[in-house]
Amino acid sequence: MTDFINNLSERSTFLLCGGCQCANSCCSCLFLHRYINYMKEGNKTRILEFILLGLSEDQELNPLIFGLFLSMYVVTVLGNLVIILIISFDPHLHTPMYFFLSNLSLVDICFSTTIVPRMLVNIQIENKAISYMNCLTQVYFSMFFPILDTLLLTVMAYDRYVAICQPLHYTIIMNPHLCGLLVFITWFIGIMTSLLHISLMIHLNFCRDLEIPHFFCELTQILKLACSDTFLNSILIYFMTGVLGVFPLFGILFSYSRITSSIRKMSSSRGKRKALSTCGSHLSVVSLFYVTGIGVYFTSAVTHSFQKVSVASVMYTVVTPMLNPFIYSLRNKDVKGALGRLLSRAASCL
């Protein structure tokens, strides 16, 4: 058992940190090392293999599901990569708003990569098992990236508030130092919150190999399978949902209430249209993110059908990251202009 755990520790570190020589400096890897040490010392919870049931039990649908989700994943990665490249290479887009947008695109790529590739593998192979360590890792990142999404959307709402309500002071307030600090804070909060959830999870006991009625390791589904008391885990979920879900939403709504008030006071119809156009894309992304997230919550609350819950989760975890780059490219003249210039430059080099 000791040799097995040592081997698992080495393999997990390599997989999670990309084989980096400085793996011990990675915050996530440090925490997983702590779990392995816990296993060695106490051996209170044996190594488990969970079974991911997936989206459908009908094997005939698997080729269709595989092709559909592979296509959506490729579109998600390519679409968000294009947004990042456009913002990086076009000097006209080197502004706070597009700096935050590039971070949002990066988070969307990472979020999809956390879930979709594993789901595609499970569709193709007969063995649906996932080890406890890999499941724990997926739980961590499936919490981490949505938290970043929420906080980045809130920061972008504040950016639009300053741009429209205090345009003369915009460059002074939204300086590079503040923008970098805001992004750092969002990542720090995401890391610490996710680690807090995982720190409680590693103390749970599981009696046997268990089935997860989902296509990825989702926190609440894992808690339902635990034999030990999950009261503290549930309290933490409700508390963090309120702090990191409701409060940012109030912040966004407050920002747009002030923006609406400022737009009403504008005498120029051209100025009003310009102000609304800069907010339209962000509002669309915020609406899509919160509507799908709330849809997942209410679906899991009112139904016991894991297929319905899984379908609702698909909208939140797969469809939303795929649509975000299209919303920003189709509804934003600056991004469309930058895309045209990038394509022209690429064509001239051929």
Side-chain angles (χ1 to χ4, degrees), residues 283-299:
L283 269 176
S284 300
V285 171
V286 168
S287 300
L288 182 63
F289 178 81
Y290 274 97
V291 167
T292 54
I294 293 172
V296 172
Y297 175 80
F298 279 107
T299 302

Side-chain angles (χ1 to χ4, degrees), residues 238-349:
Y238 290 126
F239 177 75
M240 287 303 178
T241 300
V243 172
L244 298 177
V246 178
F247 284 175
L249 179 59
F250 283 158
I252 293 171
L253 294 176
F254 175 77
S255 296
Y256 275 102
S257 68
R258 300 296 298 272
I259 289 172
T260 303
S261 178
S262 296
I263 292 176
R264 282 182 172 182
K265 296 176 182 178
M266 293 180 181
S267 57
S268 171
S269 58
R270 181 181 178 183
K272 290 181 179 181
R273 286 195 300 270
K274 183 177 180 180
L276 290 172
S277 66
T278 61
C279 298
S281 300
H282 179 256
L283 269 176
S284 300
V285 171
V286 168
S287 300
L288 182 63
F289 178 81
Y290 274 97
V291 167
T292 54
I294 293 172
V296 172
Y297 175 80
F298 279 107
T299 302
S300 60
V302 301
T303 182
H304 297 289
S305 171
F306 82 88
Q307 286 94 349
K308 292 181 180 179
V309 175
S310 297
V311 170
S313 298
V314 166
M315 295 297 297
Y316 180 71
T317 60
V318 182
V319 176
T320 297
M322 180 186 68
L323 293 180
N324 285 350
F326 291 99
I327 293 173
Y328 274 102
S329 60
L330 296 177
R331 295 178 61 92
N332 192 300
K333 293 181 180 180
D334 294 333
V335 174
K336 286 192 289 187
L339 178 60
R341 289 189 291 271
L342 181 64
L343 292 176
S344 300
R345 189 184 307 174
S348 63
C349 295

Side-chain angles (χ1 to χ4, degrees), residues 17-67:
C17 299
C20 176
Q21 296 295 325
C22 301
N24 288 329
S25 65
C26 175
C27 188
S28 300
C29 293
L30 278 173
F31 188 80
L32 292 178
H33 273 299
R34 178 187 170 194
Y35 168 75
I36 294 296
N37 291 332
Y38 168 81
M39 289 288 299
K40 291 177 182 177
E41 294 172 4
N43 196 25
K44 296 178 182 178
T45 304
R46 65 188 179 87
I47 298 296
L48 297 173
E49 279 193 342
F50 294 109
I51 305 297
L52 292 171
L53 296 183
L55 283 171
S56 174
E57 297 178 345
D58 189 352
Q59 298 296 323
E60 295 181 356
L61 292 177
N62 282 346
L64 176 62
I65 295 175
F66 180 86

Side-chain angles (χ1 to χ4, degrees), residues 52 135 138-139 142 201 212 214 216-223 296 309 313:
L52 292 171
C135 193
Q138 195 174 59
V139 169
S142 65
M201 278 193 64
I212 302 175
H214 219 303
F216 71 100
C217 290
E218 199 267 334
L219 177 60
T220 57
Q221 297 293 336
I222 301 297
L223 295 182
V296 172
V309 175
S313 298

Side-chain angles (χ1 to χ4, degrees), residues 16-275:
L16 292 173
C17 299
C20 176
Q21 296 295 325
C22 301
N24 288 329
S25 65
C26 175
C27 188
S28 300
C29 293
L30 278 173
F31 188 80
L32 292 178
H33 273 299
R34 178 187 170 194
Y35 168 75
I36 294 296
N37 291 332
Y38 168 81
M39 289 288 299
K40 291 177 182 177
E41 294 172 4
N43 196 25
K44 296 178 182 178
T45 304
R46 65 188 179 87
I47 298 296
L48 297 173
E49 279 193 342
F50 294 109
I51 305 297
L52 292 171
L53 296 183
L55 283 171
S56 174
E57 297 178 345
D58 189 352
Q59 298 296 323
E60 295 181 356
L61 292 177
N62 282 346
L64 176 62
I65 295 175
F66 180 86
L68 179 62
F69 279 89
L70 178 62
S71 301
M72 288 194 292
Y73 178 66
V74 171
V75 171
T76 299
V77 173
L78 292 180
N80 284 287
L81 275 178
V82 167
I83 293 291
I84 295 173
L85 290 174
I86 290 173
I87 294 172
S88 300
F89 288 105
D90 196 305
H92 298 89
L93 300 183
H94 291 175
T95 62
M97 181 176 72
Y98 294 109
F99 170 68
F100 298 133
L101 176 58
S102 63
N103 278 271
L104 184 67
S105 295
L106 176 62
V107 169
D108 284 342
I109 291 174
C110 295
F111 187 30
S112 292
T113 303
T114 300
I115 295 172
V116 179
R118 178 75 202 193
M119 181 179 66
L120 295 176
V121 170
N122 286 350
I123 291 174
Q124 287 294 97
I125 63 177
E126 294 183 0
N127 183 14
K128 310 295 183 181
I130 180 171
S131 69
Y132 180 83
M133 181 61 68
N134 288 337
C135 193
L136 196 72
T137 304
Q138 195 174 59
V139 169
Y140 173 83
F141 287 111
S142 65
M143 290 186 296
F144 174 57
F145 292 119
I147 291 173
L148 290 188
D149 266 331
T150 304
L151 297 178
L152 283 172
L153 290 172
T154 307
V155 169
M156 293 171 74
Y158 174 72
D159 171 77
R160 291 299 83 208
Y161 159 74
V162 176
I164 294 173
C165 299
Q166 304 182 46
L168 299 179
H169 301 92
Y170 178 71
T171 55
I172 298 174
I173 297 175
M174 299 303 295
N175 58 76
H177 176 73
L178 179 62
C179 293
L181 179 63
L182 290 173
V183 170
F184 171 78
I185 290 173
T186 61
W187 281 77
F188 179 78
I189 293 175
I191 289 172
M192 297 308 297
T193 303
S194 301
L195 284 178
L196 186 58
H197 281 288
I198 298 298
S199 67
L200 292 180
M201 278 193 64
I202 63 171
H203 296 289
L204 297 177
N205 295 318
F206 297 89
C207 303
R208 59 189 182 278
D209 295 347
L210 299 165
E211 294 182 341
I212 302 175
H214 219 303
F215 59 89
F216 71 100
C217 290
E218 199 267 334
L219 177 60
T220 57
Q221 297 293 336
I222 301 297
L223 295 182
K224 292 177 182 178
L225 306 179
C227 296
S228 51
D229 184 29
T230 60
F231 176 75
L232 288 178
N233 303 78
S234 300
I235 291 297
L236 182 62
I237 290 174
Y238 290 126
F239 177 75
M240 287 303 178
T241 300
V243 172
L244 298 177
V246 178
F247 284 175
L249 179 59
F250 283 158
I252 293 171
L253 294 176
F254 175 77
S255 296
Y256 275 102
S257 68
R258 300 296 298 272
I259 289 172
T260 303
S261 178
S262 296
I263 292 176
R264 282 182 172 182
K265 296 176 182 178
M266 293 180 181
S267 57
S268 171
S269 58
R270 181 181 178 183
K272 290 181 179 181
R273 286 195 300 270
K274 183 177 180 180

